[in-house]
């Protein structure tokens, strides 16, 4: 009987990943791809793979399937010397399937996922434009037990992404506000070694009831806290200044301090006159200057959102 030795490593090399990235360069330069595996010489510039130029300034290269971290850089066509690396964290490749990877310079693909076996309608909101800029909630897609949303993030503009999941069943629940760091210079930056193909995964395993929503870096909002659990949630989120918008004229505007909290009760009207809007915006701006971060609340979220969106639109127009 003849024994046949099979070189599985050699077989594996026949299965390829096709990478492409579009970038217009001056004549004499080229785009390279480098990585942390032996195939790339563990970030060796001389073993980086020069990509092939195609019509439309599309650079392509085929890489054998294996797990690795990688990044693109620009250097001279003949030999890498002085290099210009793209910004952002290392890209991560984890797959056993032949596939085409279309990357964008200085961008990262992110997939937000949440465990949702009941398949309830699920939404996401966040600080980036494609997550609604904390103003509107974006519908998520469902695959088996997971709700997900894919985005492309500019690592220069979106160095830090705040996001929150929302699930709508008979009651509405939200996750806590979560943070994804894409800036490698930040001390809280992690290796982001959770990936699907070359997507960064931001995963939430479940929900706790939450009253906190985020408008921007200075304003969070939600329902009026009514028990110790609600106040503990605010304290955990470092929200120590509470501004309650009250309908009742019998409840005058006043400020009290108890424990770690400043609690302001403010009468507000549903009359959206220009003078009222101006006064409201000036008041909120004054509170931010004094306290830096505030939590605005009312038992009607639609009213709170309406006034805060008017405030944000006015601020953005200046």
């Amino acid at each position: 009987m003849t024994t046949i030795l099979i070189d599985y490593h050699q077989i594996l090399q026949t299965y390829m990943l096709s990478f492409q990235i579009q970038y217009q360069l001056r004549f004499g330069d080229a785009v390279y791809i480098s990585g942390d595996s032996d195939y790339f010489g563990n970030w060796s510039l001389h073993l980086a793979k020069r990509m092939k130029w195609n019509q439309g300034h599309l650079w392509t290269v085929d890489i054998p399937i294996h797990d690795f971290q990688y990044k693109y850089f620009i250097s001279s066509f003949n030999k890498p010397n002085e290099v210009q690396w793209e910004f952002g964290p290392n890209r991560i490749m984890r797959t056993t399937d032949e596939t085409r990877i279309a990357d964008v310079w200085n961008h990262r693909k992110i997939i937000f996922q949440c465990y949702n076996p009941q398949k309830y309608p699920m939404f996401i909101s966040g600080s980036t434009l494609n997550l609604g800029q904390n103003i509107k909630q974006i519908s998520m897609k469902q695959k088996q037990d997971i709700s997900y949303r894919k985005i492309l993030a500019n690592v220069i503009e979106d160095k830090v992404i705040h996001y929150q999941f929302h699930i709508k069943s008979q009651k509405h629940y939200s996750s806590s506000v979560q943070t994804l760091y894409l800036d490698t210079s930040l001390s809280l930056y992690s290796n982001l070694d959770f990936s699907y193909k070359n997507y960064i995964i931001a995963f939430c395993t479940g929900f706790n009831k939450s009253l906190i929503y985020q408008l921007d870096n200075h304003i969070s909002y939600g329902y009026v806290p009514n028990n110790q659990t609600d106040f503990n949630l605010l304290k955990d989120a470092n929200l120590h200044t509470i501004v309650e918008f009250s309908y009742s004229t019998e409840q005058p505007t006043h400020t009290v301090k108890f424990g770690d909290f400043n609690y302001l009760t403010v009468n507000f009207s549903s009359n959206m006159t220009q003078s009222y809007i101006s006064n409201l915006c000036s008041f909120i701006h004054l509170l931010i200057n004094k306290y830096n971060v505030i939590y605005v609340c009312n038992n009607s979220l639609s009213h709170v959102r309406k006034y805060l969106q008017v405030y944000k639109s006015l601020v953005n127009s200046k």
Side-chain angles (χ1 to χ4, degrees), residues 13-213:
Q13 298 301 301
T14 63
Y15 296 94
M16 307 296 284
L17 300 168
S18 297
F19 289 82
Q20 65 179 45
I21 189 167
Q22 191 171 39
Y23 204 106
Q24 184 172 355
L25 298 173
R26 65 183 182 181
F27 182 78
D29 285 344
V31 178
Y32 291 78
I33 182 171
S34 181
D36 68 344
S37 67
D38 292 340
Y39 180 80
F40 296 100
N42 294 295
W43 300 111
S44 167
L45 294 183
H46 299 296
L47 292 180
K49 309 306 175 185
R50 186 179 66 204
M51 304 181 75
K52 178 183 177 182
W53 183 90
N54 298 269
Q55 195 71 31
H57 304 286
L58 189 67
W59 297 85
T60 62
V61 69
D62 291 339
I63 303 294
I65 291 179
H66 64 294
D67 292 348
F68 59 96
Q69 297 187 33
Y70 70 101
K71 273 182 116 171
Y72 298 99
F73 68 83
I74 297 169
S75 192
S76 60
F77 185 89
N78 293 327
K79 183 180 180 182
N81 40 57
E82 295 183 2
V83 303
Q84 176 191 338
W85 290 94
E86 61 170 340
F87 288 101
N90 295 341
R91 301 175 184 269
I92 304 173
M93 175 52 59
R94 301 282 187 270
T95 187
T96 57
D97 302 323
E98 287 190 301
T99 187
R100 182 178 298 276
I101 306 298
D103 286 326
V104 179
W105 186 266
N106 286 342
H107 288 66
R108 296 295 182 273
K109 289 180 280 189
I110 304 170
I111 181 169
F112 296 89
Q113 296 182 341
C114 192
Y115 185 60
N116 180 22
Q118 296 85 2
K119 298 179 174 58
Y120 290 128
M122 185 167 286
F123 300 81
I124 186 171
S125 61
S127 55
T128 66
L129 179 63
N130 42 22
L131 291 181
Q133 294 183 313
N134 292 314
I135 297 175
K136 61 180 181 179
Q137 297 177 5
I138 309 300
S139 176
M140 300 180 72
K141 295 182 179 181
Q142 185 79 19
K143 185 175 182 180
Q144 297 178 348
D145 291 341
I146 302 296
S147 296
Y148 70 94
R149 182 77 185 187
K150 296 178 180 179
I151 72 166
L152 186 65
N154 185 323
V155 297
I156 298 177
E157 298 176 359
D158 303 319
K159 296 178 180 179
V160 180
I161 299 176
H162 302 287
Y163 62 97
Q164 188 173 30
F165 296 103
H166 312 276
I167 192 167
K168 297 187 177 181
S169 55
Q170 293 180 344
K171 294 183 178 180
H172 293 187
Y173 295 91
S174 297
S175 72
S176 58
V177 177
Q178 305 191 44
T179 305
L180 178 65
Y181 296 91
L182 297 179
D183 187 349
T184 56
S185 66
L186 294 173
S187 59
L188 293 177
Y189 165 73
S190 65
N191 198 26
L192 297 175
D193 197 16
F194 299 96
S195 65
Y196 166 72
K197 294 186 178 178
N198 68 335
Y199 281 87
I200 295 170
I201 294 179
F203 190 77
C204 177
T205 56
F207 277 74
N208 294 317
K209 187 176 180 181
S210 173
L211 76 163
I212 303 172
Y213 301 84

Side-chain angles (χ1 to χ4, degrees), residues 151-302:
I151 72 166
L152 186 65
N154 185 323
V155 297
I156 298 177
E157 298 176 359
D158 303 319
K159 296 178 180 179
V160 180
I161 299 176
H162 302 287
Y163 62 97
Q164 188 173 30
F165 296 103
H166 312 276
I167 192 167
K168 297 187 177 181
S169 55
Q170 293 180 344
K171 294 183 178 180
H172 293 187
Y173 295 91
S174 297
S175 72
S176 58
V177 177
Q178 305 191 44
T179 305
L180 178 65
Y181 296 91
L182 297 179
D183 187 349
T184 56
S185 66
L186 294 173
S187 59
L188 293 177
Y189 165 73
S190 65
N191 198 26
L192 297 175
D193 197 16
F194 299 96
S195 65
Y196 166 72
K197 294 186 178 178
N198 68 335
Y199 281 87
I200 295 170
I201 294 179
F203 190 77
C204 177
T205 56
F207 277 74
N208 294 317
K209 187 176 180 181
S210 173
L211 76 163
I212 303 172
Y213 301 84
Q214 190 166 10
L215 181 72
D216 56 28
N217 291 334
H218 298 285
I219 301 175
S220 292
Y221 66 94
Y223 294 108
V224 175
N226 56 23
N227 54 44
Q228 190 59 49
T229 300
D230 291 346
F231 282 102
N232 288 340
L233 285 170
L234 292 172
K235 188 175 181 179
D236 290 342
N238 291 318
L239 297 172
H240 299 285
T241 300
I242 303 170
V243 184
E244 179 186 348
F245 283 171
S246 173
Y247 300 109
S248 175
T249 56
E250 299 175 357
Q251 190 175 21
T253 297
H254 68 282
T255 303
V256 296
K257 184 173 179 63
F258 59 95
D260 296 322
F261 295 96
N262 300 303
Y263 200 117
L264 292 77
T265 303
V266 181
N267 284 316
F268 81 106
S269 167
S270 59
N271 181 17
M272 297 286 283
T273 64
Q274 189 62 43
S275 61
Y276 179 78
I277 294 172
S278 178
N279 290 336
L280 176 67
C281 291
S282 297
F283 176 68
I284 292 176
H285 187 66
L286 181 67
L287 291 175
I288 292 173
N289 282 339
K290 184 174 181 179
Y291 298 107
N292 188 35
V293 178
I294 62 175
Y295 174 73
V296 181
C297 57
N298 183 262
N299 283 324
S300 170
L301 279 191
S302 61

